[in-house]
Amino acid sequence: RQRQMCIRDSAWPGDAVGVLQDPPCALFVQGALPAPGLATAGIVGTRDATPYGSAFARRLGADLAAAGVWVVSGFALGIDGAAHEGCATAGGPTLAVLGCGVDHPYPTAHLDLRDDLLAAGGGLVSEHPPGVEPRKHHFPRRNRLVAALIQALVVVEAPERSGALITARLALDLGRDILAVPGNVGQRARAGCHRLLREGAALCESAADVLHAIGIDAADGPGLLLRAEPTGEAGLVWRALDAAEGVDSGALCIRTGLAPEVIAAALVELELAGRAKRTLTGAFLRT
């Protein structure tokens, strides 16, 4: 159910959006917003995400959710969606900041994710009234809300010209901590992250780096999901692996019935989580 909030409402996130030079006069919300005092972190990146970037964002979202952190992102395809998906899969709340009305089914590929996000206790928020369709000029304004609602921002993948870098600049102007995920030199999707690192952004290799940035000791939280049994497609691949004998991607396709690109993304996610390792022959072992 949608509701409208204004500055007079007790749940108005004034401490967050009040720092903006042009704060919204109203917010339209479906689901929940982070309560004052709760830890928040943004995860953003390109819509044209690589399998590695999507897997990293999904794992990072799940681990932060497990540590009690609200993950905020822009609900776009690619990195944003993967981060929201990771949180929802882990049963943790995540906030999607939209560039359209909260009732508008955009992007259509995220209709199921919208339901999962709300079922996990998260929320959708927009400064646009119901019925407003997405417009190009809405997204920079959405980015400033993402920047305002977080304590730290992680850029997972971003080319040199990217909305994620706009969000990073806005977050830096608001005094938020900026982290970036490194990647292959020369890879277009990583150029923006490497630029941020050269300019002083902190290195992000895991959720522990984000928790440190927002002042949380990882040992004090409910624990990261690195020890949990993998779920979804990654879980299917993990159970198809052997702990003693390496299994190549072709055999995994046969054992699971999954497409090669799905296998590749799942293997990256499992490697990041420490649940699979690559042998010298290129096959994979369950760990």
Side-chain angles (χ1 to χ4, degrees):
R1 194 165 64 97
Q2 302 166 32
R3 64 187 188 279
Q4 181 178 350
M5 299 172 56
C6 64
I7 197 169
R8 295 185 299 274
D9 293 320
S10 59
W12 179 258
D15 290 344
V17 300
V19 298
L20 293 170
Q21 292 183 345
D22 56 342
C25 58
L27 290 173
F28 299 86
V29 182
Q30 186 174 358
L33 289 177
L38 291 182
T40 56
I43 301 176
V44 297
T46 179
R47 287 172 170 81
D48 298 322
T50 67
Y52 178 89
S54 294
F56 188 97
R58 194 175 296 111
R59 172 55 52 182
L60 186 62
D63 288 346
L64 289 174
V69 177
W70 271 77
V71 171
V72 181
S73 194
F75 207 58
L77 300 174
I79 297 299
D80 291 16
H84 290 305
E85 181 185 344
C87 292
T89 300
T94 177
L95 182 65
V97 185
L98 307 182
C100 57
V102 293
D103 63 333
H104 193 82
Y106 178 84
T108 54
H110 282 173
L111 291 180
D112 289 340
L113 178 57
R114 173 186 290 252
D115 293 338
D116 294 342
L117 178 156
L118 294 171
L124 307 164
V125 63
S126 175
E127 62 184 311
H128 303 290
V132 173
E133 296 184 356
R135 294 285 184 265
K136 187 175 181 179
H137 63 277
H138 291 174
F139 294 100
R141 294 187 61 80
R142 175 206 63 183
N143 292 347
R144 91 193 196 293
L145 281 183
V146 172
L149 290 164
I150 58 173
Q151 295 167 272
L153 179 75
V154 182
V155 182
V156 176
E157 283 185 333
E160 283 282 5
R161 296 174 59 85
S162 169
L165 296 187
I166 295 174
T167 307
R169 187 184 73 246
L170 294 167
L172 186 62
D173 290 343
L174 296 176
R176 296 353 184 195
D177 287 305
I178 309 299
L179 300 93
V181 178
N184 295 335
V185 174
Q187 190 176 44
R188 178 179 175 273
R190 298 290 178 161
C193 291
H194 290 169
R195 191 179 94 192
L196 290 174
L197 290 167
R198 286 194 300 270
E199 293 174 352
L203 178 70
C204 180
E205 295 180 306
S206 71
D209 296 318
V210 187
L211 296 176
H212 176 74
I214 60 181
I216 296 176
D217 185 345
D220 294 337
L224 304 183
L225 292 185
L226 302 184
R227 303 177 189 87
E229 181 170 319
T231 59
E233 291 164 342
L236 289 176
V237 174
W238 184 72
R239 286 185 286 275
L241 292 172
D242 190 281
E245 184 177 347
V247 182
D248 63 28
S249 57
L252 288 171
C253 289
I254 296 171
R255 293 185 184 186
T256 64
L258 298 174
E261 61 271 19
V262 176
I263 295 289
L267 287 170
V268 169
E269 183 172 343
L270 291 170
E271 282 191 281
L272 289 170
R275 306 314 300 266
K277 67 178 181 180
R278 191 189 304 261
T279 69
L280 293 176
T281 64
F284 288 83
L285 292 170
R286 183 197 299 176
T287 58

